[in-house]
Amino acid sequence: MNNKKGKIDIRSLSLEALQQHFIQMNEKSFRAKQVYEWLWKKSCLSFDDMSNISKELRTKLNENFTINNVKINSSQISADKTIKNSFILYDTHLIEGVLIPTPGRMTACVSSQVGCSLTCKFCATGYMERKRNLNPDEIYDQVVLIDKQARENYGIPLSNIVYMGMGEPLLNYANVIKSIEKITSPDGLNMAAKRITVSTAGIAKMIRKLGDDGVKFNLALSLHAANDEKRNTIMPINEQNSLKALAEALKYYYAKTKNPVTYEYIVFDGVNDTLQDAMELASFCKHLPCKVNIIEYNPIAFASYLNAGEDKIEVFADYLRKQGVNTNLRRSRGKDIDAACGQLAIKEKEKVS
């Protein structure tokens, strides 16, 4: 990938490709390994900071390559210590990432696309146009920046990563997989794959591909209804990826990976909050080992959806537990800031447009 100045984005190159460039520059190929380590293991963003590289080679690197790194555009800190970030990319697009501190965990929520092509009715990002996919290094940078925030603000490194920010990860499959490779590799950030969760709105053929690729990270399905009529309304992607198709894909994925699946379910007031809805969800959970996270909703201005009442949510969760479904209640974070996915990026975009 070249930027407008004709320089190559160095992090778009594999080690082998970088070695070839070094040979063409009359440099020894082992120097490429040193630079590669600076880029991915040490998260270096300036050639001039690569202290074991000669000044002459650093000059060549600056002349031929660029590092299209992500920068923090703005941040909001919630009373519950959640930090919501607007990140700016090299081409001025804005994305979001969140640091979520909870007892025993320090989690980064990262984006995979600029905007989103799906139109989930409850999600702020669903009201944004998809501009482009994020590159692997742009996802990696979000993790590095949020880890730095965790260490500086709370003295604790990241423990978990969730791909639950802007965009549909499985519609940026290759780049998401490459980003996870960089994050988990001993030559990268060396994080455990089991600490990473990729959340999808439900793309059946790509869930099958996850199984074929034998991925080690966790998979979550943003479900929100276990009958097709309701899910079609809430999440139009269901019209091409019915619950039957998703169930078959998930069973295939589980057979290949033996990884249990997490179902995310927001109990919306008057939409999917009845005992019948709970019964349908419990039935869907019988397809394979799984757990359900009931998530508290952060309402947005674009949609009329509201959380069901506490009592109704407790009845809903209690029914699932009595049916043997492992069920957790996840409280909303950052209620006093623009914490719903897409809110901050939309607000920041409006400032500059």
Side-chain angles (χ1 to χ4, degrees):
M1 181 189 303
N2 290 26
N3 70 1
K4 57 189 175 184
K5 294 179 182 177
K7 293 182 181 181
I8 298 168
D9 175 11
I10 194 168
R11 293 189 299 176
S12 70
L13 302 175
S14 66
L15 175 57
E16 292 74 20
L18 187 59
Q19 286 171 332
Q20 287 304 310
H21 277 283
F22 271 53
I23 291 168
Q24 289 168 15
M25 294 190 300
N26 295 316
E27 294 286 345
K28 296 186 183 300
S29 63
F30 80 87
R31 291 293 182 196
K33 182 79 165 64
Q34 289 178 310
V35 170
Y36 200 78
E37 186 173 285
W38 276 106
L39 294 170
W40 296 110
K41 198 167 187 175
K42 300 177 182 178
S43 308
C44 185
L45 298 176
S46 169
F47 299 124
D48 294 327
D49 292 337
M50 297 179 179
S51 55
N52 63 344
I53 304 297
S54 70
K55 188 174 180 181
E56 181 186 359
L57 177 52
R58 278 181 269 163
T59 299
K60 286 183 184 179
L61 291 172
N62 279 307
E63 288 172 350
N64 291 281
F65 300 100
T66 188
I67 301 173
N68 290 333
N69 60 296
V70 174
K71 299 181 178 76
I72 293 177
N73 182 60
S74 68
S75 298
Q76 297 177 351
I77 303 181
S78 169
D80 65 18
K81 298 186 177 180
T82 299
I83 303 178
K84 181 72 174 271
N85 299 290
S86 159
F87 294 123
I88 189 163
L89 309 180
Y90 75 94
D91 56 4
T92 74
H93 284 309
L94 296 174
I95 58 167
E96 293 178 357
V98 187
L99 172 62
I100 308 168
T102 55
R105 281 192 178 192
M106 196 65 68
T107 302
C109 177
V110 299
S111 295
S112 56
Q113 295 179 310
V114 181
C116 188
S117 59
L118 306 186
T119 54
C120 300
K121 301 306 182 187
F122 58 90
C123 177
T125 312
Y127 293 83
M128 300 170 68
E129 182 184 354
R130 188 194 75 85
K131 298 295 185 182
R132 67 172 176 86
N133 288 332
L134 293 185
N135 301 320
D137 51 286
E138 292 172 322
I139 300 172
Y140 166 97
D141 278 354
Q142 293 174 71
V143 174
V144 171
L145 288 168
I146 296 172
D147 178 57
K148 186 179 179 185
Q149 280 185 333
R151 293 171 189 269
E152 289 178 352
N153 287 274
Y154 306 121
I156 303 170
L158 281 183
S159 61
N160 296 77
I161 302 167
V162 293
Y163 284 64
M164 296 183 186
M166 293 167 60
E168 165 53 57
L170 298 192
L171 292 180
N172 185 18
Y173 190 93
N175 288 343
V176 164
I177 295 298
K178 285 179 184 175
S179 74
I180 293 173
E181 288 171 359
K182 290 289 181 263
I183 290 164
T184 58
S185 168
D187 294 327
L189 300 182
N190 202 28
M191 289 190 70
K194 285 296 181 186
R195 296 284 186 172
I196 299 173
T197 299
V198 171
S199 176
T200 178
I203 318 292
K205 69 177 183 179
M206 303 312 293
I207 291 171
R208 287 178 174 271
K209 182 162 175 54
L210 289 172
D212 287 334
D213 289 345
V215 298
K216 304 297 184 188
F217 53 81
N218 303 302
L219 178 65
L221 174 65
S222 188
L223 190 60
H224 311 309
N227 78 60
D228 283 314
E229 186 178 354
K230 285 190 178 182
R231 198 165 189 269
N232 288 349
T233 302
I234 300 169
M235 306 176 72
I237 186 66
N238 194 73
E239 293 171 8
Q240 292 83 42
N241 294 267
S242 68
L243 289 166
K244 182 180 178 183
L246 288 176
E248 291 302 316
L250 290 164
K251 284 189 279 189
Y252 181 86
Y253 163 84
Y254 179 75
K256 293 283 190 176
T257 67
K258 295 297 182 257
N259 291 337
V261 173
T262 297
Y263 298 127
E264 297 156 352
Y265 195 103
I266 299 171
V267 186
F268 295 114
D269 185 44
V271 177
N272 60 352
D273 57 355
T274 67
L275 187 58
Q276 178 65 28
D277 291 308
M279 291 169 64
E280 289 167 350
L281 177 55
S283 178
F284 191 82
C285 288
K286 292 176 182 175
H287 291 299
L288 68 152
C290 66
K291 68 177 179 181
V292 171
N293 283 342
I294 294 178
I295 302 169
E296 189 177 1
Y297 182 53
N298 243 332
I300 60 171
F302 314 102
S304 58
Y305 289 96
L306 296 171
N307 267 312
E310 290 274 349
D311 292 349
K312 194 171 278 190
I313 291 173
E314 286 294 345
V315 168
F316 194 99
D318 188 54
Y319 176 83
L320 293 176
R321 292 184 184 117
K322 285 178 178 174
Q323 299 303 307
V325 178
N326 182 359
T327 305
N328 301 305
L329 291 178
R330 293 276 186 258
R331 297 298 175 192
S332 178
R333 306 284 299 181
K335 289 183 182 180
D336 54 328
I337 58 176
D338 296 306
C341 184
Q343 276 185 317
L344 184 55
I346 289 172
K347 189 174 284 188
E348 293 294 335
K349 187 176 178 226
E350 287 171 348
K351 283 182 187 176
V352 297
S353 60

